[in-house]
Amino acid sequence: LAQGLALVAVISRETAMIQPQPSKKPRLAPGSGGPPAYGGYPREPAADQLAEEALCGSSSDASVKASRETYIAYVKRGDDEEVETPVKTLFGEYEERGLNHGRKVYQKLHTKAAQQFGKAKPLDVLLYYWDDRDGASFEGWWFGNKLGGTQVWAHCKSSGKTPPTTGWKIPWNGYARPDFALARKEDKLAKEARQRLQVLTLEVDRAESDSDAALSQAKAMIAAAIAAAGGETSEDGSTKLAEAESILSPQALALSELERKATEALRLAAEAAATGNAPATESMRGLRQLGNRVKAKKESLTVEYTKAKGARQKAEADTKQKVEEEQDTAVLEAFLPEAVDKTNTAEDLVEKAVIALEYVADCREGGDDEIVKQALLETERAAKEAFAAVGEARIFLSSKLAESRGFAPRTKERAATELGELQKLLQVAQKKLAPATNARKGLAEKNLLQKLAVEAEEKLAFADLDVDRAEEAALLLGADPSQEGLERAMKAVEVAEEHISSATQFVEARRREAPASVTAALEAQFGSRGKDATERLQKLKGSLRDGADRVTASASQREAKAKVQSVTIAMQNLEVVSAAAESLFGQGGEASEGLSSHSSWEAKLKAPETAAVSAQTAATAARSLLQMKLLEAKRFSGTAAAESTEELQVLQKQLEVAIARIAELKADAVRRRQRAMMAEAEACVARAECFIKELGEASAVFGDPFGGEIGPCGLPADMTAEQARGVVVQATGKERKAVESLGEARKFLAARQVEAKGKGATTQAAEVLAALQSRLAAAQADMTESKKRFASVEQRLSARNLLSEVEGKLKEAESKVAQTVAAAASLPSEDLADDLPEVEVASQESKTSAGVKSAEAIAREAHLAIRALGRLVDLQSRTNSFAREALQALRDRIQGAQTRLDASSALVRDCAERGFVRSLLKEAKEKARESKLLLTEADSAAGKLPELPSADTATVENGSGDPVEVGKTVLAFERIVQAAQTAHSSLKTCVAMKRLSAKRLSERAAASAEQALDDIQAGMDSTSLRLGELRAMAMEAKMTTLRRGR
């Protein structure tokens, strides 16, 4: 089976490895003549080799993959393009994949390198060993598409444990190819690393020698070039430096190429060393040293090359700069005199325009307009000529300065300095020319200033006059303060303020419209006058504010007096209605009898409360007004604030006295209402207690004691159900009245308690309400107790009926239990004697069986009755609390009946089991007797067998007796043995079944049955041994008879 499974696995894997092959010529079987060009094959592997290859281990196990052996197939000359296709097919890496014929199997890895010869899917190539089972010519290592396959490419006749490195025949029956080799990947990589190291070492040595020579020659040239010019490079020195660069440049390129090769070789060696290859690790060290040598030499060469190149470039730059400076100096000397001439011309024209402007000022003072106009025209003409000359000079200087930015550094610095000085002179001349350019505009501004000054003077004069009138009105208000005088003064101030604002706005508008020079002149001439008028007006407003404060203070005092007077009137009204309400109570403050009715005292008690609220409202308004007026008085100035504050404080003291009296009267009103409410609350609670007392008297018949003998469910023994229900109806009516009165009292007390927690409530009222609440709670408890007495009457009546029903069922169950006890007592208590006749035993067993069935039926009915009764009692005990104690007493009787029933049932069951055991053993004993009889018959037949000769000494010719008779005797004996064996097997089965049946019996009955069956089993064991001997005798006799028959 294992070989078959392994074969299936190998076939599945090989089927997956099959690749489409190009059409090939027909192949010949081994030994039939010349093989095809690239074909030939050993025979297919046997099943045991396939199993060996399949069970060698999975090739995808990641933990083993790192340790797999790898070989590389290659051509020694390294020219892959010239190799024929069959050889190219074998190129690549081969990784260990399993075992075949005691050697490892290797499979080609499909890498990019293996696919470089075509875009078709690469072939599967295996490297494996085949032993000499198919002949000595097929022994050795093979390259093929599968193990023992029909497609092979190369063969090497070697029986080594590892693939041979050389000596491969390609094709397999051709000649050995000396250029085709096979090597372990680690060895090949290490060898290549050593070869690269040797080659690179030679190349580095040669490059270092060449670099040293080139450095010496270049250093000598650089030193000679510098010495030839006395420390500065010349044209001849530049040539020598260029030659030094040309000498060093090829060496730098060669060293860079060597550094690249060393880096690549180091990378390949690192890949080989990653597999644990020690020689590759040593090669890495040598390659690192070579890389460091090449890097150091390249750096020294680069330093000299950079030095030569920098010196050459500096010499060329210095020569070029010197020539450029000579050329730029000549250009500068050419245009500099022209620039100076243009600047001087512009300065002269500016001086001429300034002189003309001074003449215009002198003519304006003389008042001759014609001369002024003529001088103004002359000034504008001179200014225009000067402006044009300055502009021309500035443009010329800017263009030359821009041109000089391209000069050599020294020449450019000189040009910037001299041209900058000329530009500064032009800037000074430009500033001096500005007034002359704007001569006509300056004359117009002077005329405008003169006009605006006249208009502003007129506006400000009217404003000053209005301020004087406002000051006069303020003086009159100080002598006689009144509202009319205050209004006249305020009106005059407003008019003066309006005129000052108008004049100021006029001057400000003209300042915004006029030029800057006119604005400055207006500010200097009229600015202080507007500010002075404004300051006078502000002082006047301050004096008017004092008069206004005195007028306002007088009005505030009159308003405050009116408010305080209204509070006094409200307080007097409150005193009158409070006296009327106090008459409802007696000398000791006790409430009169009429207070028990809410409507009789509510109106008289409500009047003081309403009056107190009105008085309190008036007092609050008056207090707020006084506080507001006091705050206003603090903002007054001078004596008005002190006088107003003093008067308002007097009124505030009067108000505080009235407020205190109002609070006292309000507190009295609250106390009167509380006393009245307490009296009403007392009446409500007393009314509720009266109804609850009547309810208790009505339900007292169900109390404890009940007035008679106490029944089992808490009802009087002599009370009928109709009587009990009549009492319940009467008590229910009284309960309704009690609940209504109790609810009214509770609501009333709750409302009063809420009021007692409010503002102005007393502790005494809260205590009285708490006491009434306690009385109400006690009354509620009494009512609940009374309700309990008659609310459960129906449940008690139901419980009493239940007890009667249970009692009747219990008596029936006890009767059935008594019948079961009697039936059990009539059954026999012991087994029948063994010496009784079978007829008597059958009769006794029949009678016992009928008695057992009758007793079991009666016991079953009794069990059902007691079980149903017990469930009923358990259920009612949990749900019916009134019948619980009585049911508990009945439960004891039920348990007693159950105990008696269990004892009788045990007797019946014991008797039934004894009968069952007798029947069980009877069948087993009968089968045992039958088996014993057959065994005895077989023993008898064995004694009658004739003596038969043994197979070693007897033949057909010398046998004794008639063969036919002997055969019949042997056949009869065999049949008797078979019948005995069948009876014995039936007995064994019967005993086993009886043992299973006995396990369902009680412990005592089961033990008895097991003991009897064990005795039968002992006889069976001896019978089994004898039957074995008899079967052997029968077989031997039969075989002997058959031999004789031949």
Side-chain angles (χ1 to χ4, degrees):
L1 178 61
Q3 291 178 356
L5 293 175
L7 179 60
V8 171
V10 172
I11 292 173
S12 300
R13 189 177 65 183
E14 289 182 352
T15 302
M17 293 172 59
I18 293 176
Q19 303 291 339
Q21 303 293 335
S23 60
K24 297 182 285 292
K25 298 177 181 179
R27 294 192 178 88
L28 300 177
S32 63
Y38 297 105
Y41 55 90
R43 69 177 180 85
E44 294 292 336
D48 55 343
Q49 278 75 34
L50 292 174
E52 178 185 6
E53 194 275 338
L55 299 176
C56 67
S58 174
S59 62
S60 61
D61 190 356
S63 63
V64 182
K65 187 173 182 180
S67 62
R68 289 174 180 166
E69 194 174 24
T70 305
Y71 278 82
I72 298 177
Y74 63 98
V75 176
K76 292 182 180 180
R77 63 176 180 268
D79 191 1
D80 296 345
E81 297 296 334
E82 297 179 1
V83 178
E84 56 269 27
T85 301
V87 180
K88 290 181 181 180
T89 304
L90 306 181
F91 286 174
E93 296 185 8
Y94 291 80
E95 188 177 67
E96 178 186 343
R97 283 292 185 268
L99 295 174
N100 185 63
H101 292 189
R103 305 291 191 274
K104 294 181 179 178
V105 177
Y106 304 88
Q107 183 178 10
K108 184 178 179 181
L109 300 178
H110 296 315
T111 59
K112 293 182 179 179
Q115 302 177 13
Q116 63 182 349
F117 300 112
K119 297 183 180 179
K121 187 175 182 181
L123 299 174
D124 287 329
V125 182
L126 295 179
L127 172 61
Y128 61 93
Y129 174 77
W130 198 268
D131 57 18
D132 58 353
R133 67 185 63 192
D134 296 324
S137 61
F138 289 104
E139 181 186 6
W141 289 86
W142 294 83
F143 280 97
N145 66 334
K146 62 180 179 178
L147 294 178
T150 59
Q151 181 72 36
V152 292
W153 292 277
H155 174 241
C156 182
K157 188 172 182 58
S158 172
S159 60
K161 293 294 183 180
T162 59
T165 57
T166 57
W168 290 92
K169 292 189 293 183
I170 305 175
W172 68 278
N173 54 357
Y175 61 90
R177 297 287 294 265
D179 55 347
F180 182 79
L182 190 69
R184 292 178 69 251
K185 183 179 180 180
E186 294 80 1
D187 298 339
K188 187 173 185 303
L189 293 177
K191 182 179 178 181
E192 291 177 352
R194 288 194 298 270
Q195 291 175 353
R196 293 191 191 95
L197 179 60
Q198 293 174 359
V199 172
L200 284 174
T201 301
L202 295 175
E203 292 182 359
V204 170
D205 292 341
R206 184 168 57 253
E208 285 182 339
S209 177
D210 296 343
S211 299
D212 292 340
L215 280 172
S216 300
Q217 186 178 0
K219 287 181 180 179
M221 288 183 176
I222 294 171
I226 295 175
E232 295 184 0
T233 56
S234 61
E235 184 176 356
D236 184 49
S238 299
T239 304
K240 291 182 178 180
L241 291 173
E243 292 178 0
E245 283 184 52
S246 63
I247 292 173
L248 294 176
S249 179
Q251 299 301 324
L253 294 175
L255 289 174
S256 298
E257 180 64 19
L258 276 177
E259 186 176 15
R260 185 192 64 77
K261 290 181 179 180
T263 302
E264 179 65 18
L266 182 61
R267 183 185 65 80
L268 296 174
E271 292 180 357
T275 62
N277 195 327
T281 305
E282 294 295 330
S283 300
M284 285 180 61
R285 298 193 186 98
L287 290 171
R288 288 196 183 96
Q289 294 176 359
L290 285 178
N292 293 333
R293 287 172 56 188
V294 171
K295 185 177 181 181
K297 183 60 64 178
K298 179 182 176 183
E299 290 177 353
S300 62
L301 190 69
T302 303
V303 169
E304 293 299 327
Y305 177 78
T306 304
K307 181 178 179 181
K309 185 176 181 181
R312 179 183 59 78
Q313 291 176 349
K314 182 176 182 302
E316 293 176 354
D318 292 343
T319 303
K320 182 179 179 182
Q321 182 178 357
K322 185 175 180 181
V323 173
E324 289 177 352
E325 284 183 353
E326 292 176 355
Q327 294 175 355
D328 294 340
T329 302
V331 173
L332 176 63
E333 294 294 340
F335 68 73
L336 191 59
E338 185 180 0
V340 173
D341 183 50
K342 286 182 178 293
T343 302
N344 293 334
T345 301
E347 286 181 335
D348 294 342
L349 292 175
V350 169
E351 289 294 335
K352 182 178 178 181
V354 171
I355 294 171
L357 180 62
E358 293 176 352
Y359 179 69
V360 170
D362 295 339
C363 293
R364 183 176 178 277
E365 292 178 357
D368 191 347
D369 293 339
E370 290 297 330
I371 298 175
V372 171
K373 289 181 180 179
Q374 187 65 28
L376 187 60
L377 290 174
E378 184 64 24
T379 302
E380 288 177 348
R381 184 185 60 79
K384 185 176 181 180
E385 292 178 357
F387 186 79
V390 171
E392 182 182 357
R394 292 184 67 177
I395 292 171
F396 182 80
L397 292 177
S398 297
S399 64
K400 296 306 177 183
L401 189 61
E403 183 180 352
S404 67
R405 291 192 183 97
F407 291 171
R410 295 178 183 176
T411 308
K412 181 172 66 174
E413 182 179 0
R414 177 188 171 194
T417 301
E418 294 186 2
L419 293 176
E421 293 295 331
L422 294 176
Q423 283 183 335
K424 290 179 181 179
L425 294 175
L426 289 176
Q427 290 176 359
V428 173
Q430 183 76 31
K431 291 180 181 179
K432 292 172 63 177
L433 183 62
T437 305
N438 299 322
R440 186 178 297 277
K441 180 179 179 182
L443 183 61
E445 288 178 354
K446 290 180 180 179
N447 295 332
L448 178 61
L449 176 60
Q450 184 176 4
K451 179 181 178 182
L452 293 177
V454 174
E455 294 178 354
E457 179 65 29
E458 181 180 358
K459 293 284 185 182
L460 289 174
F462 281 112
D464 290 339
L465 180 61
D466 290 333
V467 172
D468 293 338
R469 292 174 179 173
E471 287 179 348
E472 182 179 358
L475 292 176
L476 294 175
L477 178 62
D480 183 16
S482 63
Q483 187 65 31
E484 295 178 358
L486 178 62
E487 291 176 357
R488 285 195 300 271
M490 294 296 292
K491 183 65 176 176
V493 169
E494 290 178 1
V495 171
E497 189 173 13
E498 182 179 355
H499 287 171
I500 291 175
S501 177
S502 177
T504 305
Q505 290 176 0
F506 174 80
V507 173
E508 185 65 26
R510 296 301 180 268
R511 285 176 58 192
R512 286 195 299 269
E513 296 172 357
S517 58
V518 177
T519 301
L522 287 174
E523 179 65 24
Q525 186 175 359
F526 298 104
S528 60
R529 289 187 60 183
K531 293 179 181 179
D532 294 341
T534 302
E535 291 177 358
R536 288 174 58 196
L537 192 61
Q538 292 299 328
K539 293 179 181 180
L540 184 59
K541 285 182 178 181
S543 62
L544 289 178
R545 191 178 297 112
D546 293 339
D549 290 343
R550 286 195 295 272
V551 173
T552 304
S554 177
S556 298
Q557 291 172 9
R558 289 193 298 271
E559 185 179 359
K561 286 180 181 179
K563 286 289 183 181
V564 173
Q565 185 64 29
S566 65
V567 173
T568 303
I569 295 172
M571 179 190 67
Q572 294 173 355
N573 184 30
L574 176 59
E575 289 176 345
V576 172
V577 295
S578 296
E582 190 64 29
S583 63
L584 294 173
F585 298 90
Q587 295 292 335
E590 298 294 334
S592 62
E593 296 181 357
L595 286 177
S596 60
S597 177
H598 180 77
S599 59
S600 62
W601 54 270
E602 178 63 27
K604 291 185 179 180
L605 291 179
K606 188 70 176 177
E609 294 174 355
T610 305
V613 171
S614 300
Q616 186 70 36
T617 303
T620 302
R623 177 181 289 173
S624 300
L625 180 65
L626 285 175
Q627 291 175 352
M628 183 178 63
K629 296 304 180 183
L630 284 171
L631 290 175
E632 292 178 357
K634 290 180 181 179
R635 293 195 295 269
F636 294 161
S637 60
T639 57
E643 293 175 356
S644 178
T645 300
E646 183 179 359
E647 182 66 26
L648 291 174
Q649 287 177 351
V650 172
L651 293 174
Q652 192 174 32
K653 291 179 181 179
Q654 295 178 4
L655 180 62
E656 292 299 331
V657 173
I659 290 174
R661 178 57 180 164
I662 291 171
E664 181 180 353
L665 294 174
K666 185 177 181 181
D668 293 341
V670 172
R671 284 192 294 273
R672 282 193 296 270
R673 176 169 288 278
Q674 288 178 351
R675 289 200 300 270
M677 286 190 299
M678 293 305 105
E680 186 176 4
E682 176 71 24
C684 288
V685 172
R687 191 162 47 251
E689 288 175 342
C690 180
F691 284 119
I692 291 172
K693 183 178 179 182
E694 293 178 359
L695 175 62
E697 292 174 354
S699 61
V701 67
F702 300 114
D704 187 16
F706 297 109
E709 184 181 355
I710 300 176
C713 295
L715 291 173
D718 56 349
M719 180 177 285
T720 63
E722 290 75 10
Q723 292 174 348
R725 291 188 178 94
V727 174
V728 169
V729 171
Q730 182 182 3
T732 302
K734 294 184 179 295
E735 180 204 2
R736 190 179 302 107
K737 294 181 180 180
V739 169
E740 292 176 357
S741 62
L742 194 62
E744 293 176 359
R746 187 180 292 108
K747 290 180 182 179
F748 187 82
L749 286 180
R752 302 293 82 78
Q753 284 180 335
V754 172
E755 294 175 358
K757 293 179 181 178
K759 187 176 179 182
T762 61
T763 306
Q764 182 180 4
E767 292 175 354
V768 172
L769 289 173
L772 293 175
Q773 189 69 35
S774 300
R775 287 174 55 187
L776 203 60
Q780 175 72 40
D782 294 341
M783 186 184 72
T784 303
E785 185 65 27
S786 299
K787 185 177 180 180
K788 288 180 180 178
R789 293 174 185 173
F790 66 86
S792 60
V793 170
E794 288 296 333
Q795 289 85 346
R796 294 183 185 185
L797 291 173
S798 177
R800 190 165 65 179
N801 295 334
L802 174 65
L803 289 177
S804 299
E805 180 184 356
V806 172
E807 182 70 25
K809 290 183 178 182
L810 180 57
K811 288 180 180 180
E812 294 178 1
E814 288 176 341
S815 175
K816 292 181 180 180
V817 170
Q819 294 176 9
T820 303
V821 171
S826 64
L827 295 175
S829 59
E830 296 180 356
D831 282 340
L832 297 176
D834 295 335
D835 54 353
L836 290 177
E838 292 184 0
V839 177
E840 186 176 352
V841 169
S843 176
Q844 291 293 335
E845 286 181 350
S846 177
K847 291 180 181 180
T848 302
S849 176
V852 167
K853 290 181 179 179
S854 176
E856 286 178 345
I858 297 172
R860 190 160 43 252
E861 292 179 1
H863 272 296
L864 292 175
I866 290 178
R867 188 180 299 113
L869 186 60
R871 291 176 179 174
L872 177 62
V873 170
D874 290 340
L875 176 62
Q876 296 300 329
S877 296
R878 290 192 299 268
T879 59
N880 200 325
S881 60
F882 297 101
R884 188 172 296 141
E885 294 181 2
L887 290 174
Q888 185 63 34
L890 294 177
R891 190 190 303 276
D892 297 337
R893 290 176 57 187
I894 294 172
Q895 290 178 354
Q898 183 68 47
T899 302
R900 295 192 301 273
L901 180 60
D902 291 341
S904 301
S905 298
L907 294 175
V908 175
R909 185 168 55 255
D910 184 59
C911 184
E913 288 180 350
R914 288 199 303 271
F916 179 75
V917 170
R918 284 196 304 273
S919 63
L920 183 146
L921 295 177
K922 180 179 179 181
E923 183 180 358
K925 288 177 180 180
E926 288 178 355
K927 288 186 178 291
R929 282 194 298 272
E930 181 182 357
S931 177
K932 188 173 182 181
L933 289 174
L934 290 173
L935 179 62
T936 301
E937 185 177 353
D939 287 337
S940 177
K944 296 178 181 181
L945 288 174
E947 294 183 2
L948 298 174
S950 63
D952 297 332
T953 60
T955 61
V956 176
E957 288 76 16
N958 60 6
S960 61
D962 187 3
V964 176
E965 293 297 329
V966 171
K968 289 181 179 181
T969 303
V970 171
L971 181 59
F973 174 67
E974 183 182 12
R975 288 176 178 175
I976 293 173
V977 171
Q978 289 178 354
Q981 181 64 43
T982 302
H984 181 70
S985 298
S986 176
L987 177 60
K988 287 176 65 176
T989 302
C990 179
V991 170
M993 295 299 295
K994 299 308 179 184
R995 287 185 185 276
L996 291 176
S997 299
K999 291 182 180 179
R1000 296 194 295 269
L1001 301 176
S1002 64
E1003 184 176 358
R1004 190 180 67 175
S1008 176
E1010 287 289 340
Q1011 181 63 37
L1013 292 173
D1014 289 341
D1015 295 339
I1016 296 173
Q1017 184 69 41
M1020 288 169 55
D1021 294 341
S1022 61
T1023 301
S1024 179
L1025 294 174
R1026 180 57 183 163
L1027 281 174
E1029 297 174 357
L1030 293 175
R1031 286 197 305 273
M1033 291 174 63
M1035 181 61 67
E1036 183 180 0
K1038 184 177 181 181
M1039 296 302 296
T1040 302
T1041 303
L1042 290 175
R1043 285 194 294 270
R1044 289 184 65 188
R1046 293 193 187 99

